[in-house]
Amino acid sequence: MTTAAALSRQRPAAARFRRITHIPAAAEEFLFGAVSPSDCRFTLTDQLPCAELPYEEGAGLPLDLHYVTEAMHSICELAASRVPRFAALGQLAVARAVVTVEGGEFWRCTTQRRHAVMESRLRGAFPPAEPATLQCDATLLVQGKPYASGFLLLREAAVPESTGKPPRRLPSRRPVPAQVARCDPRNVVLADPRFDSHGVMLADIAPDPANTAFDPVATSRARITITVEATRQAAVLAAAELHGFSAAHCIPTRWSAELPETQVFPDMPARCRVVAGPVVRDALGRPETTMSIVLSSSDGGPAGAVTVTLAQDC
C-alpha cells in the first residue's frame, strides 16, 4: 500500500543528500572563488527519491516536473547569493520556464536510491533601464542517463509587501485525488472543473491554505509550484475526460510556460482554461496530446500561458 504524503509534510532530513558546486571557467575563478555574473556553471548532485521534496507522494508515481524546476531554482538562488551583482538585486521572479523529458525511459519514484546530476549554465543580463534577468539552462541525468532538460528565466521584480496569507477559499467541488494523479486530497489544487459545449475545460485554482508548500509567505517557490501543479492537474483531468487517458499513467513529456510580470505579485493564478489538442502517436507509438492552458487572476487579468504535452505511459 502506498502511503501518501502531503505537499507540506517533511520527512527526516538525514535521508537527503544534495550538493551544488560551482564549476570554474577560468584559473582566477578557481583561485579566488569568483563567479562571473555573465556566464557561470554549476553542478547539482542529489539522491533520489528526495525524502523532503514536498511534492513527492511515494513510490509508484513518476518523478515530478517539480523536481526539475525546484533544482534549477535552488541553483539560481545559490548563484544569486554568490554573485554580488545578483545579491544587490530585488526579488527574482520566474518569467519563463520549460521542462522537457528526454527519451522514452521514465524514472519512477521508488525506495531504491538513485543518483541524480544536474548540469547547469547561468547567464545574467543587466540592460540599462530594464529589469535584470538570470537565465538557467540545465540538463538532468539520473543514474547517468539523460532524464530531462530545463530552462528557467528569472526577472528582477519589486514585490509589494504582503498583507498576510490569502483568505481561505472553500470550493464547492474538488476532483478526487486519483483523477489528477495524486494520492493525498491536500495536494489537489483544482476546484469546480467544468466543460463547455466545445469541450473546453474551465477550473478554479484553489490550493489548500493549510498546505505550506503553496503558501507564498512560507516559501519563495510557492508561485511556480502552484503554476506547475495546477496546470499539470488540469492537463491530466482534461486528457482523462476528453480523450479517455488513464490519469495514473499520464506522463508529462513537455511543460512550457510564459508568465507575465504580474505573476510576482501576491495575487496568485485563480482560474485556468484548458483547450485539448488531438491525440497523436509519439515516436514510441504511445498516445500523446498537448493541452493549451491560459491562466487568469481573480480579477480576470492574464496570469500566464502554459502548454503541457502528456503521453500515455503504457
Side-chain angles (χ1 to χ4, degrees), residues 57-169:
E57 287 197 321
L61 292 175
L63 184 63
D64 259 305
L65 291 172
H66 293 289
Y67 180 80
V68 184
T69 56
E70 186 270 342
M72 287 193 295
H73 201 281
S74 295
I75 292 172
C76 289
E77 285 186 333
L78 177 64
S81 68
R82 291 278 302 275
V83 180
R85 198 168 183 183
F86 286 144
L89 300 178
Q91 180 173 333
L92 293 173
V94 178
R96 183 169 181 247
V98 178
V99 176
T100 303
V101 176
E102 310 285 356
E105 186 172 0
F106 296 96
W107 295 85
R108 294 183 173 276
C109 296
T110 68
T111 56
Q112 182 180 359
R113 286 291 176 190
R114 292 160 297 156
H115 186 241
V117 175
M118 175 171 281
E119 299 173 346
S120 63
R121 180 183 183 186
L122 278 67
R123 284 167 286 186
F126 304 87
E130 293 183 19
T133 60
L134 177 61
Q135 175 179 318
C136 176
D137 293 279
T139 300
L140 175 66
L141 298 97
V142 179
Q143 293 294 88
K145 296 181 179 181
Y147 172 77
S149 59
F151 169 85
L152 196 66
L153 179 65
L154 302 179
R155 180 184 291 117
E156 179 187 14
V159 181
E161 292 185 4
S162 174
T163 56
K165 294 185 178 182
R168 178 178 292 270
R169 301 180 62 186

Side-chain angles (χ1 to χ4, degrees), residues 244-265:
F245 279 33
S246 167
H249 296 89
C250 280
I251 304 294
T253 58
R254 181 174 171 83
W255 184 90
S256 176
E258 294 281 352
L259 307 178
E261 292 185 16
T262 53
Q263 180 76 2
V264 305
F265 291 98

Side-chain angles (χ1 to χ4, degrees), residues 273-285:
R273 180 179 185 270
V274 185
V275 177
V279 177
V280 297
R281 296 280 175 176
D282 66 7
L284 298 176

Side-chain angles (χ1 to χ4, degrees), residues 235 238-239 243 245 253-254 274-280 287-293 306-311:
H243 295 321
F245 279 33
T253 58
R254 181 174 171 83
V274 185
V275 177
V279 177
V280 297
E288 182 182 81
T289 185
T290 297
M291 303 290 174
S292 299
I293 304 174
V306 179
T307 58
V308 183
T309 299
L310 298 173

